Amino acid sequence: MANLMGDKKASFLRLVEERALSKEEKKKLQDALVPYIPKDCISNVLLRLPLESLQRSRFVCKPWYTIINSLKFIDDHLERSESVLIFISSIKEENLYPFSTRPFAVEKPNTFSVEAKLLQSESVPVLVQPNINPTLKYYIKFLEINNGRSKIGEYSVSCTGHIRAACNGLILLENKLKKGGLIVVNPVTRKLISLPLGTLCPADKESYGFAFCTVTGEYKVVHLFQDELRYFGCEILNLGTRVWRAVNGPSFGLLRWLGCLPVLAIGALHWVPNIDSSDYLVSIEVDKERFHTIPLPKSSRYHDRIVEMRGFLSFVTHEEENQIGVWILKGLGELWTRQLSIKTGCILDMVPLYSLRIKGDMIFKRDEDGSFYAYDFQLQVMRKIEMEQERLKMSGMYHPHVNSLISWSSRERSQDVFY
């Protein structure tokens, strides 16, 4: 009996040794067939992949997963990503059943619902979750412009609220599940977080700015609002703490209109104070959280705008004889310098929307027909953009945006998950 047990034990040990040896042989064979590629080379290749391919590449192998989730890769990817315009499009308009006697729409399969994920994260039981009518929901999409052509990209993400602001790939959404509530979402990673209620006021009496503070490394939401006495108040929320703090607002009478989105550039958020004939900007420094005014080089007109241009603040103004002037402000406390004049292809109702952060082209949109134009500063040529669709089915406003893997917390950024 003892001899039998000894033979079984020896056989088991031989089997373990053979399996271990076979694993070593397989690894040696694999190393011989697949040459070693440095991590930096792999990272450089992954950085050049389209967004959809990059998402799938995370699950190819553990080393790739580690590379793509690293803080360095996320920052490098942000630096290489081109600007787009993010917007929402009504599900009702896109998916109406033609033979239905009443409006009826359904979401596309495998659509990620912001509200459903929010309720899940807050541990709301399924049986008591509100039933959201799909006809009241929107798809989040983006418009990409490249080489004179446009392309509409989809995240397969739906929501019920409008986009209020955007920064570094994060967007600020209205939370329709809670009056006056807000949600911060990265539509690429589908990571989201709800914000506590701040001061409640009508949508036309408030404006939101979204900014990254390079001094503290924090993302901040700036809420500017007008009270019943026409005074402007301001409160700021750090995404790290999620607590609203009241700060001194702009002096009485400086702001008269909140129709234009604020622009983040040179370390501050900037508002144009009036729809026409503005001689200055109202700005708040992201770090010091203080308001002040910045004189414009000339009085603005109805179709003039301020635009972030490769980190600087630009003032794009329509001038006489169908030409557009571009002024640049390189820092707070400095003077505006005239950069150039656009003398070809200019039309009076061209509204500057944003500047491509990599290529540098300025994108315009005509008020009359909604057509898009791109001005190439190197070739000094204005081109009409060939649209993928004749007219975009959009709701709300366009927001300059960049598709990224960024999160709002450096502690969490390496833990982003694609759903």
Side-chain angles (χ1 to χ4, degrees):
M1 185 71 177
N3 291 336
L4 181 62
M5 292 296 294
D7 291 341
K8 287 185 176 180
K9 185 175 181 181
S11 299
F12 178 73
L13 289 174
R14 280 197 301 271
L15 180 61
V16 172
E17 290 175 355
E18 289 174 1
R19 288 189 176 182
L21 186 61
S22 63
K23 288 182 179 180
E24 292 179 1
E25 290 175 349
K26 286 181 180 179
K27 187 176 186 307
K28 289 179 180 179
L29 180 61
Q30 185 178 9
D31 292 342
L33 294 175
V34 181
Y36 171 75
I37 302 176
K39 288 185 178 180
D40 289 345
C41 294
I42 297 175
S43 179
N44 286 332
V45 172
L46 293 174
L47 281 173
R48 289 163 171 78
L49 291 179
L51 200 58
E52 294 180 0
S53 300
L54 181 61
Q55 292 176 345
R56 293 192 293 267
S57 298
R58 296 176 71 254
F59 305 105
V60 170
C61 60
K62 188 174 181 179
W64 285 21
Y65 181 91
T66 303
I67 291 173
I68 295 173
N69 274 1
S70 67
L71 297 180
K72 184 179 185 306
F73 185 90
I74 292 173
D75 290 336
D76 290 345
H77 180 267
L78 175 63
E79 290 301 316
R80 291 183 57 89
S81 299
E82 185 58 277
S83 305
V84 297
L85 286 175
I86 195 167
F87 63 97
I88 55 175
S89 178
S90 171
I91 293 179
K92 177 181 177 181
E93 293 184 7
E94 291 194 16
N95 298 300
L96 284 176
Y97 281 88
F99 303 107
S100 177
T101 57
R102 59 192 176 95
F104 184 71
V106 293
E107 291 185 55
K108 298 175 183 177
N110 301 319
T111 297
F112 175 88
S113 170
V114 169
E115 285 74 23
K117 180 61 182 178
L118 183 63
L119 291 170
Q120 179 185 345
S121 66
E122 295 178 348
S123 301
V124 178
V126 176
L127 296 179
V128 299
Q129 290 184 7
N131 185 18
I132 302 174
N133 188 342
T135 62
L136 303 177
K137 301 184 76 174
Y138 306 94
Y139 290 124
I140 303 176
K141 300 184 177 184
F142 63 92
L143 179 69
E144 183 180 10
I145 296 177
N146 186 29
N147 295 326
R149 295 185 177 182
S150 73
K151 179 182 177 182
I152 296 177
E154 301 197 23
Y155 303 103
S156 295
V157 174
S158 69
C159 64
T160 58
H162 283 211
I163 301 173
R164 301 305 302 268
C167 179
N168 284 353
L170 305 175
I171 60 174
L172 189 67
L173 277 177
E174 295 173 333
N175 183 1
K176 290 298 185 179
L177 300 176
K178 183 187 299 183
K179 184 179 179 181
L182 297 167
I183 308 170
V184 174
V185 185
N186 184 325
V188 174
T189 66
R190 298 177 176 179
K191 191 176 180 69
L192 57 84
I193 187 173
S194 64
L195 303 185
L197 291 177
T199 302
L200 299 180
C201 59
D204 61 339
K205 300 293 184 182
E206 65 180 355
S207 176
Y208 284 96
F210 199 2
F212 177 71
C213 181
T214 57
V215 177
T216 62
E218 294 178 302
Y219 283 91
K220 297 183 178 183
V221 178
V222 178
H223 183 205
L224 192 60
F225 54 91
Q226 188 177 32
D227 62 20
E228 296 178 352
L229 299 177
R230 303 182 66 84
Y231 283 90
F232 278 91
C234 182
E235 55 189 0
I236 296 178
L237 178 142
N238 290 35
L239 289 189
T241 60
R242 288 196 293 165
V243 175
W244 290 103
R245 297 177 290 103
V247 299
N248 293 327
S251 300
F252 181 78
L254 288 180
L255 274 170
R256 297 180 294 277
W257 179 67
L258 294 173
C260 278
L261 298 173
V263 173
L264 175 63
I266 57 176
L269 285 163
H270 311 273
W271 282 265
V272 178
N274 198 16
I275 191 172
D276 200 2
S277 301
S278 295
D279 297 318
Y280 57 87
L281 304 176
V282 175
S283 308
I284 181 172
E285 298 177 59
V286 176
D287 175 27
K288 298 179 181 178
E289 301 180 353
R290 295 185 307 200
F291 278 94
H292 55 84
T293 59
I294 297 177
L296 287 171
K298 58 181 300 184
S299 183
S300 68
R301 299 186 184 185
Y302 182 79
H303 295 104
D304 298 346
R305 295 292 187 273
I306 52 173
V307 177
E308 185 272 335
M309 191 172 173
R310 294 193 169 178
F312 302 134
L313 182 64
S314 66
F315 174 52
V316 186
T317 175
H318 293 73
E319 300 174 344
E320 303 298 333
E321 300 177 358
N322 289 334
Q323 78 174 23
I324 296 174
V326 180
W327 296 76
I328 296 293
L329 186 65
K330 294 186 177 181
L332 298 174
E334 297 188 19
L335 298 177
W336 292 91
T337 58
R338 186 178 178 86
Q339 187 77 1
L340 53 88
S341 293
I342 302 175
K343 299 181 180 180
T344 59
C346 298
I347 305 174
L348 181 61
D349 66 345
M350 279 183 166
V351 177
L353 295 179
Y354 71 113
S355 175
L356 298 181
R357 63 200 303 264
I358 305 299
K359 191 177 179 183
D361 291 4
M362 181 78 71
I363 307 301
F364 295 82
K365 180 175 178 286
R366 286 198 62 191
D367 265 356
E368 181 180 351
D369 58 6
S371 57
F372 287 81
Y373 290 78
Y375 182 77
D376 189 318
F377 287 98
Q378 293 183 344
L379 300 178
Q380 299 183 6
V381 175
M382 181 80 76
R383 292 191 180 97
K384 186 175 182 179
I385 302 299
E386 295 181 20
M387 301 300 291
E388 186 179 50
Q389 296 180 5
E390 184 176 349
R391 197 171 187 87
L392 290 178
K393 296 178 180 179
M394 58 160 290
S395 305
M397 303 177 69
Y398 295 106
H399 292 257
H401 181 70
V402 56
N403 290 320
S404 76
L405 310 176
I406 288 290
S407 179
W408 46 86
S409 170
S410 58
R411 178 176 56 84
E412 296 175 336
R413 284 170 58 183
S414 61
Q415 302 174 9
D416 286 344
V417 177
F418 290 97
Y419 293 93

